Amino acid sequence: MAAGYAELLRTRHAARLLAGTLVGRLPNATAALAVVLFARAEGGSYALAGALSAVYGVCNAIGQPLLGRAVDLYGQPRVMLPASVLSALGMALLAAVGLDVLWLAYAAMVIAGFFTPPLEGGLRALWPGVLKREDRVHAAYALDAVAQEVMFAVGPLLVTLCVAAWSEGMALLVINLIGVLGALSVVVSGPSRRWRSGPREAHWLGALRSAGLLVLIGAFFFVGLAMGSIAVAAVAYADEHGGGMVSSALLSALGVGALAGGLVYGAREWPGRPESRLRLLVALLALGYLPLVLVPGVVGMTALTGVAGVFLAPALACAFVVVDRHAPKGTVTEAFSWLVTTFGVGSALGASVVGPAVEGGGAVAGFAVAGAGGIAALLVLLSTKRFLGDPVRPTPDGSTAENDRNGTVEPGFRAGHQA
């Protein structure tokens, strides 16, 4: 297992791109917790904290595909670095104005969320050119998901340490400065500067004209809802069980569980169609969320959140492969960004819904929202099987090629008409 990942990371530029993207995504990964902690420290209610997180998430969801499309058209450096700086300035504005002028606080969340750079989609677009081989690219998707869980495990602890050392406002500033440095590391690299998207058929829907991608968006919206609700519910659980670092411990355990699951998943090649495998993984993910409503003591709850995270990274890694198979030609960054958007919208609404739920029913109600989100994601995949059919089409020579890897013309579009 370790030897396979080590070989992948020894490929030129691979380790740097993965590390830079990981660091650059830190502000987005910790935004829900950092904003909730900041709002609570400023005297805001759970409902207000959830609303601020929701605005950030919704604007993130709007910005990611738009910025992803801009990357496909204009390249990575000209889009990602300016976006990263603007997003950090939005968080700095929140830290400066606090909650005294609410419209400014909401405006700060709009800026920070909308301009979050599409580093996730950008990295997955770079992998084929860096790694060359399809089996390595699929392994990289799994490693990417695992690395993301390292971020989700370490990120909450880093936020808590910044709060303990300075303040909630300083935590926002430090985390976002680190994020800008990560984005800078990516965009000055050779692969990022040289990368160009493939030719694309002109259409205002872009990647959204793929029915398979729309199914994934629907399913992972609810996965995002579960994740967003867990972040707020963990803070409520901590308030009921001594406060301190309890919420960070729960979220870190969730990340550690996903890390372990992702390492095992990415260590081997899996037979069968990834679309069928994705349904199984999401079913297991949903089952993992349900026991959280038991809310036992801190040790037991930490164990339950760890188990709940085990199938998150495998589900994400498998979803990346499915996106790659179903994305229309020339829309790869935008397509991957739509998956990120799904999490943004779902997480934002999850944070918004779970705030009033927690105030009415405590942490149990909060974790119940997460369980409902997991079940809804599974139902979407089970009810739309026909839209996630095999995207492989015959080529003129009789062989087959994947949807985003051939030169066939999408129905209804003229060849040679580039966006």
Side-chain angles (χ1 to χ4, degrees), residues 114-190:
F114 183 86
F115 288 105
T116 299
L119 289 166
E120 293 179 67
L123 177 63
R124 288 154 204 160
L126 292 177
W127 280 137
V130 172
L131 300 175
K132 310 299 183 184
R133 287 168 27 194
E134 185 178 356
D135 60 330
R136 285 187 176 180
V137 171
H138 288 185
Y141 289 158
L143 182 60
D144 187 10
V146 167
Q148 180 170 283
E149 298 317 316
V150 172
M151 177 177 58
F152 279 111
V154 174
L157 294 178
L158 182 58
V159 170
T160 303
L161 289 174
C162 289
V163 170
W166 299 296
S167 66
E168 289 79 4
M170 185 60 70
L172 290 174
L173 297 176
V174 170
I175 293 296
N176 281 271
L177 175 59
I178 293 173
V180 171
L181 295 177
L184 178 63
S185 175
V186 171
V187 300
V188 298
S189 68

Side-chain angles (χ1 to χ4, degrees), residues 265-287:
Y265 177 81
R268 56 161 293 182
E269 294 184 20
W270 297 88
R273 296 172 62 250
E275 291 84 359
S276 299
R277 187 163 64 252
L278 181 62
R279 285 189 283 270
L280 174 60
L281 290 170
V282 171
L284 294 171
L285 183 65
L287 288 175

Side-chain angles (χ1 to χ4, degrees), residues 58-284:
V58 169
C59 292
N60 180 286
I62 296 171
Q64 286 289 298
L66 294 178
L67 292 173
R69 183 175 294 192
V71 167
D72 283 330
L73 293 173
Y74 305 113
Q76 296 191 359
R78 286 197 285 177
V79 176
M80 288 188 178
L81 185 58
S84 179
V85 172
L86 288 171
S87 179
L89 289 176
M91 282 296 189
L93 177 61
L94 176 66
V97 303
L99 303 181
D100 292 334
V101 185
L102 276 181
W103 73 266
L104 269 179
Y106 281 112
M109 291 294 89
V110 170
I111 296 170
F114 183 86
F115 288 105
T116 299
L119 289 166
E120 293 179 67
L123 177 63
R124 288 154 204 160
L126 292 177
W127 280 137
V130 172
L131 300 175
K132 310 299 183 184
R133 287 168 27 194
E134 185 178 356
D135 60 330
R136 285 187 176 180
V137 171
H138 288 185
Y141 289 158
L143 182 60
D144 187 10
V146 167
Q148 180 170 283
E149 298 317 316
V150 172
M151 177 177 58
F152 279 111
V154 174
L157 294 178
L158 182 58
V159 170
T160 303
L161 289 174
C162 289
V163 170
W166 299 296
S167 66
E168 289 79 4
M170 185 60 70
L172 290 174
L173 297 176
V174 170
I175 293 296
N176 281 271
L177 175 59
I178 293 173
V180 171
L181 295 177
L184 178 63
S185 175
V186 171
V187 300
V188 298
S189 68
S192 179
R193 287 185 287 108
R194 292 190 298 268
W195 180 85
R196 294 295 181 272
S197 176
R200 56 190 282 157
E201 299 292 339
H203 193 272
W204 69 276
L205 280 176
L208 291 183
R209 65 183 184 269
S210 166
L213 182 61
L214 292 176
V215 169
L216 289 175
I217 287 173
F220 278 83
F221 162 82
F222 289 108
V223 176
L225 185 145
M227 294 299 294
S229 63
I230 286 176
V232 179
V235 176
Y237 178 89
D239 287 347
E240 297 171 4
H241 292 78
M245 296 183 65
V246 173
S247 60
S248 295
L250 295 183
L251 295 179
S252 295
L254 192 74
V256 169
L259 187 153
L263 284 174
V264 173
Y265 177 81
R268 56 161 293 182
E269 294 184 20
W270 297 88
R273 296 172 62 250
E275 291 84 359
S276 299
R277 187 163 64 252
L278 181 62
R279 285 189 283 270
L280 174 60
L281 290 170
V282 171
L284 294 171

Side-chain angles (χ1 to χ4, degrees), residues 16-41:
R16 173 182 176 172
L17 290 172
L18 182 63
T21 302
L22 184 69
V23 173
R25 285 151 56 182
L26 188 63
N28 192 30
T30 59
L33 177 63
V35 169
V36 169
L37 291 177
F38 178 80
R40 293 290 289 162

